Amino acid sequence: MKTNTNNLIVTIFAAISSCSAFASQQSDTLQDMSDPMAVFSQFGVGYGDKGINLMLGHAYDPGIENRKAMHIFEMKGIGGESIGWRSDNNNSVSELRYRHFEVSLETGTGTNLDLNYNIDSGIGTGTYGLIQALPEIRNFQAYPMLAIGGAVVDLNKNNARIETEKGAIGGHHLLGFYGLAGMYSRYNVTDNIWLNYNPMSLMGASGELSGETRFMHEAAISYQITSRANIRYFANWSDKVNYADGDHRIMYTYQI
């Protein structure tokens, strides 16, 4: 089977590089929404180049002392053909995403499971990673992370059915595994405005991803409207996709 690896990596990049929240604090009181390690129940709605995005997060006690966790569900690309600005949009949901975080309140070490499926391309990714909060220096704090993941593709949707002795076959096919290394970071400009920059390096390890590399960027600027609500602008690009052609979106989030 032969696939367009460059487009594949772009899709994987979009699936795994969005800014994630982890858990390091109690969720029974209002949390600092600028902290990438804060966990809280929340809902959000956003608009971007692919249409409308919806998000719902549920924080819970996993039953282990000094640990907190949360689930986040997302639907992306709703109404993209009508209100987005990419030429390949349609009005159906384009992506589904599920994330699960669990973090030790004592050590500041978190685990993250991230599952994403692009309905349009038929490409799915699964990533499991570790993140560690480092001490804050003035107004800056870094959160280095390491992860491993894999990708599958629906051959029928990609017109890449495999030819065998018994004829062409479709269905889902394992593309390979990859490693991911990078960090999340936060800089507090004021009490209500903060910046994030999250560089990531993706390294293909096996299958059709073997030998592939991609250096990815995510940047965000955020404003805390009230103690429960903020609005954020995100941009994602890479060494192969320039800033203007990357993903852009605005997200409103409310802490429940």
Side-chain angles (χ1 to χ4, degrees):
M1 182 190 72
K2 185 175 180 58
T3 61
N4 189 323
T5 307
N6 186 62
N7 289 340
L8 169 63
I9 297 293
V10 170
T11 304
I12 293 174
F13 155 58
I16 66 180
S17 64
S18 297
C19 183
S20 299
F22 295 80
S24 66
Q25 306 173 38
Q26 299 292 331
S27 60
D28 51 356
T29 59
L30 285 179
Q31 300 302 299
D32 177 4
M33 297 177 74
S34 73
D35 184 355
M37 298 274 290
V39 59
F40 47 87
S41 294
Q42 58 192 285
F43 71 84
V45 59
Y47 169 71
D49 54 313
K50 297 177 182 177
I52 294 173
N53 302 329
L54 299 176
M55 180 266 291
L56 179 64
H58 171 64
Y60 71 98
D61 185 343
I64 303 173
E65 187 177 0
N66 293 318
R67 296 184 74 89
K68 290 293 178 179
M70 69 186 302
H71 305 283
I72 289 187
F73 302 89
E74 294 180 77
M75 291 192 299
K76 303 179 182 181
I78 303 169
E81 184 177 1
S82 299
I83 60 176
W85 63 85
R86 287 185 180 272
S87 60
D88 57 349
N89 284 341
N90 58 54
N91 283 325
S92 301
V93 175
S94 62
E95 293 180 53
L96 298 174
R97 189 179 188 188
Y98 165 74
R99 290 175 283 165
H100 179 267
F101 313 137
E102 188 168 331
V103 171
S104 167
L105 306 181
E106 294 180 322
T107 66
T109 304
T111 62
N112 178 43
L113 174 66
D114 192 339
L115 305 176
N116 190 91
Y117 187 71
N118 188 303
I119 298 172
D120 294 336
S121 67
I123 293 173
T125 63
T127 305
Y128 182 81
L130 299 174
I131 184 170
Q132 177 64 53
L134 299 181
E136 185 173 0
I137 301 175
R138 297 184 182 273
N139 294 336
F140 177 81
Q141 191 166 11
Y143 309 81
M145 61 88 68
L146 291 172
I148 57 173
V152 298
V153 61
D154 185 341
L155 300 174
N156 295 322
K157 288 191 175 183
N158 279 267
N159 296 319
R161 294 165 64 87
I162 299 176
E163 294 294 335
T164 70
E165 293 180 356
K166 296 182 179 180
I169 61 172
H172 284 83
H173 170 73
L174 177 64
L175 285 162
F177 296 94
Y178 55 85
L180 193 67
M183 75 169 186
Y184 296 91
S185 67
R186 171 185 62 162
Y187 180 79
N188 292 328
V189 180
T190 70
D191 290 342
N192 297 92
I193 299 173
W194 70 94
L195 308 174
N196 297 104
Y197 175 58
N198 311 318
M200 303 280 175
S201 180
L202 185 148
M203 299 149 285
S206 70
E208 294 195 40
L209 303 183
S210 181
E212 291 291 331
T213 61
R214 182 63 55 94
F215 189 64
M216 307 176 297
H217 309 268
E218 178 176 75
I221 182 169
S222 308
Y223 176 71
Q224 193 71 28
I225 304 169
T226 70
S227 59
R228 290 186 180 272
N230 65 43
I231 187 167
R232 312 185 70 183
Y233 161 71
F234 291 96
N236 294 93
W237 70 102
S238 74
D239 58 336
K240 302 292 177 65
V241 178
N242 64 37
Y243 176 86
D245 294 330
D247 290 340
H248 302 270
R249 61 202 180 279
I250 296 174
M251 194 78 182
Y252 170 84
T253 305
Y254 185 84
Q255 184 173 170
I256 301 173

